[in-house]
Amino acid sequence: MSFKTVAQSQITLTQLMLPSHSNFSGKIHGGFILNLMDQVAFACASKHSENYCVTASVNRVDFLNPIEVGELVTLKASINYTGRTSMVVGVRVESENIQTGKIKHCNSSYFTMVAKGDDGKNVPVPGLILSDDDSIRRYARSITRQEHARERGASFTPEEFVASEHLEIIAQHNAKIVREN
């Protein structure tokens, strides 16, 4: 079994934001940023696995700060976790105002990528060498995030879900239950 350090697979992508990347309000379109995030996650996972990779899932993406036309956007990607054939790639997006030098954290997300062989089947990936507390924290966080996702998925399956257990919570939100017979 082979192993690689986090640094061996890290990718940084920087791109100038142009008017063609903006939405109707003049800010950079979130979909464009998601596309860049997917590209940098693909490059990082492919570099680590030395194989073609596909996106299996994207963890929550919160847009924390808007990105302006004319700013430089830098996306940083690194492997946070390795499974047998999958990897969790952490992606951080920052924008920089070229004139002032001010840097904003715009969002962070986690992409689960799966390595594919030439035949299209999943292939094993190298393990990850954890060399500092930060890499250990990120690896452990990925394990916990996966466990929570499995628990959430299991408790809301149609076979296991009991609607009456959730009515009180729903009543506190902007919803009205009207059952149709």
Side-chain angles (χ1 to χ4, degrees):
M1 180 175 245
S2 64
F3 291 86
K4 288 186 175 182
T5 65
V6 172
Q8 286 177 288
S9 304
Q10 287 178 322
I11 297 285
T12 300
L13 171 71
T14 300
Q15 186 166 338
L16 177 65
M17 294 297 103
L18 303 174
S20 61
H21 303 139
S22 66
N23 59 24
F24 297 115
S25 68
K27 307 296 183 199
I28 300 305
H29 195 289
F32 180 74
I33 299 301
L34 287 171
N35 182 38
L36 291 176
M37 292 173 75
D38 192 46
Q39 288 178 40
V40 76
F42 164 81
C44 181
S46 295
K47 187 175 179 182
H48 184 82
S49 68
E50 300 176 4
N51 282 285
Y52 178 79
C53 292
V54 296
T55 307
S57 69
V58 179
N59 193 268
R60 177 180 173 153
V61 178
D62 292 322
F63 293 93
L64 306 173
N65 288 296
I67 300 170
E68 308 288 338
V69 170
E71 291 185 328
L72 285 177
V73 168
T74 299
L75 299 97
K76 300 173 184 176
S78 62
I79 303 294
N80 288 359
Y81 170 86
T82 50
R84 193 179 72 73
T85 62
S86 67
M87 298 149 283
V88 173
V89 180
V91 177
R92 180 181 174 93
V93 180
E94 297 175 339
S95 68
E96 179 182 357
N97 181 307
I98 296 172
Q99 295 170 324
T100 66
K102 181 180 177 189
I103 295 174
K104 298 180 292 190
H105 177 208
C106 299
N107 63 33
S108 294
S109 188
Y110 305 96
F111 284 66
T112 300
M113 309 296 289
V114 176
K116 299 287 186 175
D118 292 337
D119 59 0
K121 295 186 190 301
N122 296 359
V123 296
V125 301
L128 195 60
I129 297 170
L130 308 174
S131 59
D132 58 21
D133 284 352
D134 205 35
S135 62
I136 294 168
R137 178 185 61 81
R138 288 178 175 158
Y139 201 95
R141 184 176 185 195
S142 292
I143 293 169
T144 301
R145 195 173 34 258
Q146 290 172 14
E147 290 170 352
H148 288 162
R150 277 192 289 278
E151 291 168 9
R152 274 193 312 274
S155 64
F156 286 92
T157 62
E159 301 79 28
E160 299 293 324
F161 184 75
V162 179
S164 61
E165 294 175 0
H166 300 275
L167 297 179
E168 189 175 315
I169 294 169
I170 292 171
Q172 298 171 24
H173 291 269
N174 189 19
K176 179 179 179 180
I177 298 172
V178 179
R179 295 195 183 259
E180 298 178 6
N181 295 333

